[in-house]
Amino acid sequence: MEIYALKGHQIICDDLDVGYDYQKEIANKYLELGKIYTVEKTQVESSSTTVILQEIPGIEFNSTCFEDVEEQSEEDSKKHPDYPKYH
């Protein structure tokens, strides 16, 4: 998925078996494969990105659990608050 996804970006859960064990446990507890979710916020770090979903507030998920439903433009990605830290 686009790690600089803005609020409202749609993503689909395509993998529940990624990341550390605790991340897999959280994904398996809350997510459904093939279900579409809406990004509330992404937190981009140097080696990982977490996603908070509008449908499941307050829970952080590994971004590698998801794929984009539609691509976000590069122009929109540049609007993300973490974009300047890594470009």
Side-chain angles (χ1 to χ4, degrees), residues 3 27 48 59-60 70:
I3 62 173
S48 67
I59 306 294
E60 294 182 349
E70 292 183 17

Side-chain angles (χ1 to χ4, degrees), residues 9-75:
H9 186 73
Q10 299 236 301
I11 53 179
I12 188 166
C13 178
D14 71 341
D15 197 344
L16 297 173
D17 195 33
V18 291
Y20 295 107
D21 286 343
Y22 78 92
Q23 292 172 320
K24 293 176 191 178
E25 288 176 22
I26 291 169
N28 279 282
K29 181 176 180 178
Y30 292 99
L31 300 175
E32 292 179 43
L33 281 175
K35 185 172 180 179
I36 294 174
Y37 295 95
T38 309
V39 172
E40 176 66 27
K41 177 182 175 183
T42 63
Q43 178 71 39
V44 181
E45 301 294 339
S46 61
S47 62
S48 67
T49 298
T50 56
V51 183
I52 297 176
L53 305 170
Q54 290 181 5
E55 295 83 357
I56 310 168
I59 306 294
E60 294 182 349
F61 298 97
N62 187 317
S63 66
T64 58
C65 292
F66 306 97
E67 288 293 327
D68 297 315
V69 171
E70 292 183 17
E71 276 190 44
Q72 177 177 277
S73 72
E74 186 174 347
E75 183 178 296

